[in-house]
Amino acid sequence: MKKPIIITAALCLTGVILMGVLSGKDVEPGIVAKLKAKYSVKHAPSADHAGFEALKKKFTSPRQVTEACISCHNKRHKEVMRSSHWNWEREEYVEGRGVVYLGKKNAINNFCVSTPGNEGSCAKCHIGYGLDARGKGYTDQNNVDCLICHDNSETYAKAPDKAGAPEAALDLNAIAQSVGRPKRTNCGVCHFFGGGGNNVKHGDLEKALFEPDRDLDVHMASSGSNLQCVDCHTTKEHNISGKIYSLASMNQERSSCEQCHTAAPHGDSVLNEHTLKVACQTCHIPSYAKANATKMSWDWSTAGKLKDGKPYIEEDSMGNHAYMSIKGSFVWQKNVKPDYVWFNGTASHYLRGDKIEDTEKPLVLNPLHGSYADEDSKIIPVKIHTGNQPYDPVNKILIQPKLFSEKKGEGAYWKDFNWEAASRAGMKAAGLPFSGKVGFIKTAMYWPLNHMVAPKEASVKCGECHARSGGRLAGLNDFYMPGRDYSAAVEFVGKWLLLLSLFGVLAHGAGRILSARKHRNGENK
Amino acid sequence: MKNIKEVLIYSGFERFWHWAQAGLILFLAFTGFEIHGAYSFLGFGDAVRYHNIAAYLLIVLIAFAIFWHLTTGEWRQYIPTTKNIAAQLEYYVFGIFRNAPHPTKKTALCKLNPLQKLTYFSLKVFLLPATLASGLLYMFYRYPEGGTTGSLTIETLRTTAVIHTACAFALAAFLITHLYLITTGKTVTANLKAMLTGFEDLEGTECEPEAEK
């Protein structure tokens, strides 16, 4: 009679396990298959520019190339000249302060701080030529640099410190005839090197992404789908989707995972439910700076030390700059586990001239908005870059120092190593007051991570967040998370209830054994 | 000691229901406390998946059990009574150590003593429904299923989760005492044998006559 029950019980358990195994698929198979098919179709250009007469006459300056481009594409330059890539600013609505025009033109970060006064050097990453402090370069249509984005010969390169001009001795004709859809190399030459070196700023955008393997980035992998930047950062009239919140404020025109993968990409509904509160990136970017280190901290206050009257450089164990006389000390890290914050797509910014309320605690330059209670918020991974940067302790505003100059004696810090002179020149260029005093203040910036998406096998496992202690989300405490949180009272009462029950039955049982023995002994007598 | 016969006290379905429910609840407790963070065995993700599957199976089983209780009239066995309750309590606290006889006669039609009636009634009417309801809320909390349909909106999971945890502790405590009380039948194994085979040596099938009067 016992057997059928054991068999039934065994069958039930097998049933549970079977259902579990069968329902255990991670990915909705249809979506990924369709995407793979879509992106395996090779891009076919609609024209061969090598055949155009306009590109055959000898070019002696890049401006002539632009002129030739405009002779056919006679409206495209107007689109470019409306874009933030060109203007280095765009309209942003910031909660509490209304519409501001924000961009590289006026933003302050905790890397090289700001562009005003330093255009000659910074313009290496401007999509134009002849950018100077007076903003002259912004109005001339022949200053549009078509080639930096559209060169497909991979030979075009901008010269350092030449206000946006390319290197001399380039074969401009060959380059002009090669033009086509932008590739990773076109975007990467600027975006991988922001902040003055490879992977300095973002942590998830760096030169290893020119030819990444699948482990580094599952989308851009050369041997895989080999996606180009513009496949996701879709573009309309030279307006490229995607925002980085060092400069952006509004939740719009963002490039997202969902635009391809949908909001319910998993086969498992519990995982799909996570997408309501957890951004894709949170689980799928387990670490950043996977190939080369990224800068985590920049301390300007130590800059200016000279050896024999000359600036010098020291390297850390990974070969990154640990100290530069012109910039101060740096901390670099590789394979970094992200920090996590709630984010609803809006941010505010420290804008130039803003009074610093509390100079004792670190000043966050781009606070990201969001919380568990906010319906639009999701948990996202970020890199937090900390700084120690110059500020005016009398006026209580951040200083925008003049760093770059061709010559000594113009106040540029990188030539004269004098904070007061550099601050005076920089603040003048920015149109801000300066008291003559220079102090240093701790700052922090948030860099949302969106790239270096790992293969699914490497994505963050449930237990890395749903853990009693030490989980990835240990710092986000405004909500209840299963596996991590509990009610101390219920835990206390529950544990004692179990212990007392156990103790009770053991004591009762022992009592029965003893009394049974006594009775048996009594009968024996 | 007369008229003792081997009587079928638990029908086939009842035994299937009991053991299936026992297995599922044990499994749910095992996976549930892992989800709660008490230990790590299956891994959090799999623990959740199996916990949810077992929960659905338990709901199906309970639906069948409710149907069975209603159609057979067996539900009447669980109506709590105060009669003999003090005597039964006294038996467990004192009598059992003196080899005293069970104060309540167990028959096929009256198989539960007053303390059992009270316990199982509370279990079926309060604890299991509370566990089930909090568990279902836990699953469907604020989540549009598969990203398609909307569902319940609760500001925080905390209350639901804490209630579900409290229920789990209560059930676990029940389980400990239940397992022990199995041994308090006529012989140490009589109750277990009855629940496995369905048969127990009992005197008569009717309820005690004084219960009627």
Side-chain angles (χ1 to χ4, degrees), chain B residues 32-140:
Chain B
F33 278 104
E34 170 160 9
I35 295 166
H36 190 54
Y39 44 81
S40 187
F41 181 77
L42 290 170
F44 188 88
D46 278 338
V48 169
R49 212 148 46 79
Y50 286 114
H51 192 78
N52 288 356
I53 294 166
Y56 283 124
L57 289 178
L58 182 63
I59 290 169
V60 172
L61 183 69
I62 286 175
F64 276 102
I66 289 172
F67 179 77
W68 176 83
H69 276 88
L70 291 178
T71 51
T72 57
E74 284 286 317
W75 62 274
R76 287 198 187 86
Q77 301 230 20
Y78 297 91
I79 299 168
T81 168
T82 51
K83 196 176 88 65
N84 252 357
I85 200 162
Q88 189 66 38
L89 202 60
E90 205 200 323
Y91 169 75
Y92 283 130
V93 179
F94 304 109
I96 194 166
F97 300 112
R98 292 196 295 257
N99 250 4
H102 278 265
T104 320
K105 206 173 94 181
K106 189 175 183 180
T107 68
L109 290 178
C110 269
K111 48 194 175 206
L112 302 174
N113 73 44
L115 275 179
Q116 284 176 314
K117 280 181 201 258
L118 190 66
T119 308
Y120 293 135
F121 180 81
S122 316
L123 195 69
K124 289 171 171 216
V125 175
F126 302 114
L127 190 52
L128 282 177
T131 317
L132 232 65
S134 55
L136 284 171
L137 276 179
Y138 207 135
M139 275 192 210
F140 294 108

Side-chain angles (χ1 to χ4, degrees), chain A residues 316-328:
Chain A
D316 67 8
S317 58
M318 291 183 281
N320 300 300
H321 295 154
Y323 180 77
M324 293 173 89
S325 300
I326 60 166
K327 294 178 174 180

